[in-house]
Amino acid sequence: MKETKYWTFHIFAGILLLFVLGFHFLYTHIGELLFKESDNISKELSQGRDAKTSFLVFFIILLGLGLYHGLYGLKNILFEIFSSKAVQKIIVIFILLLGIGLFFFGSYSSYLAHKNAAAKTEVSHAK
Amino acid sequence: MPNEKNVKFYIRRYDPLKDKEPYLRSYDVPVSKGMVVLDALHYIRENLDPSLAWRYSCRMGVCGSCGMLINGSPTLACNTQIFDISETELTIAPLPNFRIIKDLVPELSPMFEKHREILPFVVREESELDDPEGEFYQTPEQLEEFLQFTFCIKCGCCMAACPTLATDPNYLGPQPLAQAHRYNKDTRDGGRKARNQITGSNDGAFKCHYAGECSRVCPKGVDPAKAIQIMKRQLVFDFLKISKSQKPCEKLKGPGKGEKKDIPPAPTYTVQE
């Protein structure tokens, strides 16, 4: 039944990714083409987004969902290639560590970007 | 359609005691209309090569013993008309995804062991054993939910066609999973929770890629792929606790003792005496 739990989370993560990733693409990449707005991927606008806490939370959620969905899929593929239970245990530990590591690295990077962008925005406002 | 024609049979031979690996051997068999592959195998053993080994029993698609790979497709030898497939040549091999015992005889024990794991029987309260009287009431609609899955003859054709099982021998496979679904859907059964522990495990239903080959090759028209997809949904619903609780039906304890059902009145006579 444990696998059912992981599978359910995998499905939910996939559904949520559709919306979260959809929003990301729409806002950052496609919005420009659709709404004929200014250059959304320009450095200034990117920094402006990074400075907002809501976007920091959004990026961390996107990262978490993407990592869980992708790494669970990778685990399943590797489990089909390696049927030995001992190897499967190693795969689970490796993927778990990789996922946690990448999540913290990505979250920390986003936080730093947010911090820097917020500081720059404050400086520009002060000027 | 010719009355009789020589068909070349390429049969994969393998004796683990003598051969290092399987090899193909050809036999010319005079085939007449109506002959099935099993008849040709009998002809070969009686007239050309008495050492050829295969498994069969009922000769009428009921026992599921003669499953083999005929021209690349797992099917029953007793159910396959030769001229329906070819009038010139035919290749026969044992069912893939199983160890070969000899020639066309696969070792089906792993399938039966997995089948046993999923509790392939109606699970009821132990206390009912003390009171064996009564009968279970099931509507035709409830029966329809699982009827097609009861047609499984455990021939192993679905297991041989499964691409997931080909790469991952730990996977339960379409036959045991379809049978688990068959009992889960039975209104008399109360074993779904116990079965979920096995079908919802790492080697259970979630490994199915939905290639659908199992359903395509089944000689009895069972649809294991459908069963597995419904099972996946059921497992998720059970985990989220949003599925309809499926309590096993009550027993009816004979006339006047059990639940009374409305019996429609008999139709009026159409013939006057």
Side-chain angles (χ1 to χ4, degrees):
Chain A
M1 208 59 182
K2 229 178 182 180
E3 197 61 26
T4 308
K5 184 165 69 181
Y6 300 146
W7 172 268
T8 309
F9 293 159
H10 176 69
I11 297 293
F12 277 122
I15 295 166
L16 287 174
L17 267 179
L18 276 178
F19 292 103
V20 177
L21 212 56
F23 174 76
H24 168 73
F25 274 105
L26 198 71
Y27 193 86
T28 316
H29 304 290
I30 309 168
E32 187 188 339
L33 303 172
L34 288 177
F35 309 122
K36 307 274 182 230
E37 283 180 356
S38 58
D39 187 10
N40 267 359
I41 48 170
S42 68
K43 197 180 172 188
E44 290 74 28
L45 284 173
S46 285
Q47 273 186 349
R49 283 197 296 275
D50 286 344
K52 291 177 188 164
T53 314
S54 55
F55 267 90
L56 172 68
V57 174
F58 173 80
F59 285 137
I60 291 174
I61 290 171
L62 176 61
L63 179 71
L65 291 174
L67 278 174
Y68 182 80
H69 191 79
L71 290 176
Y72 180 80
L74 177 69
K75 184 217 90 171
N76 281 352
I77 294 168
L78 292 175
F79 267 36
E80 279 184 26
I81 299 169
F82 305 101
S83 52
S84 151
K85 293 284 173 197
V87 178
Q88 287 185 351
K89 214 169 185 177
I90 294 168
I91 290 169
V92 169
I93 293 167
F94 172 72
I95 285 183
L96 205 64
L97 290 177
L98 182 73
I100 292 169
L102 286 175
F103 180 73
F104 278 106
F105 177 71
S107 301
Y108 185 63
S109 305
S110 299
Y111 171 71
L112 283 184
H114 165 71
K115 210 171 129 186
N116 290 341
K120 275 181 188 169
T121 315
E122 269 178 34
V123 170
S124 64
H125 279 301
K127 278 180 184 173
Chain B
M1 185 71 71
N3 277 337
E4 191 169 295
K5 207 171 178 185
N6 256 12
V7 175
K8 199 173 262 305
F9 276 72
Y10 292 96
I11 298 181
R12 194 184 297 171
R13 305 294 310 271
Y14 178 58
D15 185 347
L17 298 175
K18 285 193 287 186
D19 308 319
K20 278 187 180 169
E21 54 187 36
Y23 60 94
L24 279 183
R25 193 161 168 197
S26 68
Y27 304 93
D28 286 318
V29 179
V31 175
S32 54
K33 192 182 172 187
M35 267 179 79
V36 292
V37 173
L38 192 64
D39 296 327
L41 293 176
H42 279 296
Y43 178 88
I44 293 168
R45 187 154 73 180
E46 282 162 17
N47 301 290
L48 306 172
D49 188 346
S51 70
L52 180 65
W54 77 94
R55 194 189 279 133
Y56 78 101
S57 181
C58 74
R59 300 173 182 232
M60 53 185 183
V62 173
C63 71
S65 300
C66 63
M68 50 188 77
L69 196 72
I70 299 171
N71 267 14
S73 186
T75 188
L76 298 178
C78 66
N79 238 1
T80 309
Q81 293 283 329
I82 297 168
F83 284 149
D84 281 355
I85 305 178
S86 174
E87 289 181 12
T88 51
E89 58 181 47
L90 217 69
T91 307
I92 304 176
L95 288 178
N97 300 346
F98 293 105
R99 189 177 65 80
I100 306 169
I101 294 175
K102 197 189 169 198
D103 295 336
L104 302 174
V105 185
E107 169 65 286
L108 297 176
S109 308
M111 178 179 79
F112 292 126
E113 279 160 21
K114 286 174 183 173
H115 181 241
R116 200 176 295 125
E117 259 182 64
I118 56 96
L119 313 176
F121 43 83
V122 171
V123 177
R124 300 287 301 188
E125 285 287 326
E126 286 285 319
S127 58
E128 282 186 347
L129 293 174
D130 301 330
D131 179 23
E133 274 184 31
E135 58 180 310
F136 301 113
Y137 179 77
Q138 196 166 56
T139 65
E141 290 77 21
Q142 288 170 334
L143 174 67
E144 194 63 38
E145 285 273 305
F146 65 88
L147 182 63
Q148 66 142 314
F149 304 108
T150 64
F151 298 150
C152 173
I153 54 171
K154 295 148 197 80
C155 60
C157 287
C158 57
M159 302 287 272
C162 177
T164 310
L165 204 60
T167 54
D168 184 357
N170 293 331
Y171 172 49
L172 273 176
Q175 193 278 332
L177 286 171
Q179 287 311 293
H181 179 69
R182 173 252 176 274
Y183 286 98
N184 283 346
K185 280 286 165 194
D186 195 324
T187 50
R188 298 165 297 178
D189 177 77
R192 193 169 86 201
K193 206 173 169 188
R195 265 180 227 111
N196 281 357
Q197 299 298 325
I198 303 146
T199 55
S201 72
N202 199 24
D203 298 318
F206 298 117
K207 272 197 175 167
C208 170
H209 293 192
Y210 199 20
E213 278 299 290
C214 49
S215 302
R216 192 184 65 81
V217 301
C218 179
K220 303 302 283 184
V222 180
D223 192 349
K226 180 185 173 185
I228 298 170
Q229 304 325 303
I230 298 172
M231 181 183 281
K232 281 182 189 174
R233 187 181 60 189
Q234 189 67 63
L235 281 164
V236 172
F237 281 10
D238 282 352
F239 167 67
L240 296 172
K241 297 187 174 26
I242 54 171
S243 60
K244 282 185 224 161
S245 68
Q246 194 185 0
K247 280 186 184 166
C249 62
E250 294 292 319
K251 268 202 285 189
L252 299 182
K253 300 240 175 177
K257 289 181 183 172
E259 185 189 346
K260 283 185 180 171
K261 300 280 171 190
D262 289 333
I263 300 167
T268 51
Y269 288 110
T270 52
V271 179
Q272 297 296 327
E273 284 183 17

